[in-house]
Structure formats: C-alpha cells, structure tokens
Amino acid sequence: MQRRTFLGMLGAACVGASLPAGAEAAGKEFKGYPGSKGVLFDATRCIGCRKCEAACNKVNKLPEPEKKFDDLSVLDNKRRTDAKTFTVVNKYGGPKNPVFRKSQCNHCLEPACASACFVKAFKKLPNGAVVYDESVCVGCRYCMVACPFEIPTYEYDEPLTPRVMKCTMCAPRLAEGKLPGCVEDCPKEALVFGERDELIKIARERIRRNSDRYVDHIYGEDEMGGTRWLYISGVPFKEIGMREDLGTKSAPELTAGALAAVPMVAGLWPVLLGGIYAVSKRNSK
C-alpha cells in the first residue's frame, strides 16, 4: 500500500464517519410533529394494580413473567424495564400512603437514542412514537448509554440475533386508530392518551382546580427538551424515583457531539490497523 493511498483512505473514513445521521444527530431544536400524540400519567390516580403491565405484555406478545400480574408482592422491590418487560409500576412511600409510578419509554421530542445511533436504527414517527428497526442495528448499544431515563435494554440471552428492546407506545396499534394497550386497560384513568398540547392543557387544569393535591409542575413538558409521556404528581417527583437534574436542553444537544466521535473511531480503527499492517509487511520485505 502506497502512503498516498493509505492517507486517502484515512481521510475518507474521517469524512464518512463524521457526517451527522439526520436532524436528531445534529442536535437541532425540534418541537415535535403537529398533532402528534402522547400520554399523561397521573400519579394521584394510579393504584398499582399492574393491569397496564399485563396489557403491555399481551399486545406486544412478550413472555409471561415469573410472577403473575395479579401478584402485587413484586411492588415491594424497585424494578426497571428489561428486554421482556416494556413497562413496570413501582411503589414509593410508606405502607399507609403509597404512591405508584409507571415507567416506560418517554418518547422524547428529540430522542437521545436516535441521536446516538449512527445507523439510524431509532427514528421518531410523526405520531410521536420512537421506534426501532432491528434490521439495521449493529448492536453497539450507544442508545442505552445515551438515554437519560435508562430505558432501552438488550437481549443478552439471545446469542444470534439480539435486539434492543423498549416500549414503542404501541405504534402498530396507533396506526390502526387504537389506544396504547396500557391506556386502554387502566381502570382508574391514570393514563390519558391524546395530542400532547391537549394533554398539557388537561394537566394544567387538574393542577389549577386541585392546587392542594398536585405539585405545580408537569414533568416532561420541558425536561430534556420535552417528552411525549407527561407526568403529574401529588408528591415531589424525586420521591417517585424521577430525576430532577435533567434540565431543559434536549438530549441530542448534550450527547450528539461526544457520541458522534465513537463511530468515527470505530470507522478509523480498521483503516489505521490495515495501514500499519501493510507498512509493516512492506518493511519486513
């Protein structure tokens, strides 16, 4: 290999690896598609029945859990989503006045998982859902590192075709004009589905009418640039396991620059090693 050829390959790899993968990677401000949907979760109405978990399991055809959904003893331990569980309900506070909070993908307006994915395995749909294309995923798991809510999980027990797994806001059901499974099966209307702007109005009205019942804040309206999953609560959000240190900048603004360098390194490394090997072979001759 000639030195000029090697330097040319190195330069091409630099340029190709550094190109942004869409608007998400560029970290541009994005307020969402007009009319796109979301879900409002009201922690004051949630009773921890786990019917949302059962519905999610059913509509996504996930494996049955070890403990049945009517076994509420699982609420005694904090849980997080995993490759076989797209949503979980956790219990907070004492036994006399417990508070419950549902956890799943928040479907950010500017998703960190999409900004970190250099093969565009994650994308934002016009209806608001953030979905995943396993056919292009390379298994780098940068999406898991980037997500501030620690939601994407990996099929570590799948040796041949592991996937990144998370809630899709029931995107196939939305395409058919149906509600997300968890929303449809909630017996206490702790979950409300609709256009995000309307959900914010509903949340503000509930807070206005019951100022002594709610914290005066809609979590997800501005956090990390805004999310499609919104929360209102009767206790401070940190008391139900939610981060209050995220700020209002979107995740791509914070992660795109640093994580963009990772695929660049990955692209340059084989070229660099190949060049070193070729030069070494020439010198040995």
Side-chain angles (χ1 to χ4, degrees):
M1 180 184 293
Q2 297 293 324
R3 182 184 301 174
R4 182 176 298 174
T5 304
F6 171 60
L7 293 176
M9 291 176 63
L10 191 64
C14 285
V15 172
S18 62
L19 291 176
E24 294 92 346
K28 296 179 180 178
E29 185 177 4
F30 178 64
K31 291 300 182 182
Y33 294 100
S36 57
K37 309 299 183 181
V39 177
L40 171 64
F41 171 76
D42 189 336
T44 69
R45 299 189 179 193
C46 182
I47 59 173
C49 65
R50 300 185 66 205
K51 291 189 182 298
C52 56
E53 292 186 31
C56 179
N57 179 276
K58 180 179 178 180
V59 301
N60 289 291
K61 298 181 174 59
L62 299 171
E64 287 291 323
E66 293 182 6
K67 293 185 177 181
K68 294 184 178 181
F69 291 107
D70 58 1
D71 184 350
L72 302 185
S73 66
V74 300
L75 297 175
D76 293 333
N77 298 301
K78 185 179 177 181
R79 300 173 296 147
R80 61 157 294 178
T81 58
D82 58 41
K84 298 177 177 61
T85 311
F86 292 173
T87 188
V88 296
V89 175
N90 282 310
K91 180 172 67 174
Y92 301 88
K96 291 185 178 181
N97 298 297
V99 182
F100 304 94
R101 198 256 298 184
K102 181 180 181 297
S103 178
Q104 72 297 301
C105 176
N106 286 322
H107 300 277
C108 304
L109 299 185
E110 297 183 83
C113 55
S115 72
C117 183
F118 61 93
V119 296
K120 295 186 179 181
F122 284 92
K123 65 178 179 180
K124 185 83 172 175
L125 298 182
N127 62 14
V130 178
V131 296
Y132 164 77
D133 183 356
E134 63 186 83
S135 68
V136 299
C137 180
V138 297
C140 67
R141 287 162 281 169
Y142 299 145
C143 54
M144 296 170 62
V145 177
C147 178
F149 304 108
E150 299 181 343
I151 291 299
T153 57
Y154 198 63
E155 291 183 313
Y156 289 104
D157 59 347
E158 178 56 59
L160 299 179
T161 57
R163 298 168 293 173
V164 175
M165 306 294 281
K166 74 171 194 67
C167 156
T168 66
M169 205 160 76
C170 287
R173 288 174 61 88
L174 298 188
E176 297 174 1
K178 299 178 181 178
L179 291 172
C182 58
V183 177
E184 187 172 75
D185 281 18
C186 180
K188 294 296 182 179
E189 297 184 356
L191 299 168
V192 180
F193 177 79
E195 292 188 8
R196 185 175 186 270
D197 291 343
E198 290 301 315
L199 295 177
I200 291 174
K201 291 179 182 179
I202 292 172
R204 285 178 179 160
E205 183 63 14
R206 288 187 187 180
I207 294 172
R208 186 188 69 80
R209 289 186 175 184
N210 303 277
S211 58
D212 58 335
R213 184 179 182 183
Y214 291 100
V215 173
D216 188 12
H217 181 65
I218 304 171
Y219 193 100
E221 181 178 9
D222 298 307
E223 276 79 6
M224 300 305 298
T227 62
R228 290 281 162 199
W229 212 278
L230 304 166
Y231 302 79
I232 52 177
S233 171
V235 299
F237 291 99
K238 64 181 179 181
E239 293 185 15
I240 54 174
M242 304 183 74
R243 294 181 60 181
E244 294 186 331
D245 61 340
L246 296 176
T248 59
K249 286 188 176 181
S250 67
E253 288 186 64
L254 303 174
T255 62
L259 288 171
V262 180
M264 183 186 296
V265 172
L268 294 178
W269 195 243
V271 177
L272 180 60
L273 291 179
I276 294 173
Y277 174 76
V279 172
S280 298
K281 290 288 289 184
R282 186 184 65 181
N283 290 340
S284 65
K285 288 181 180 180

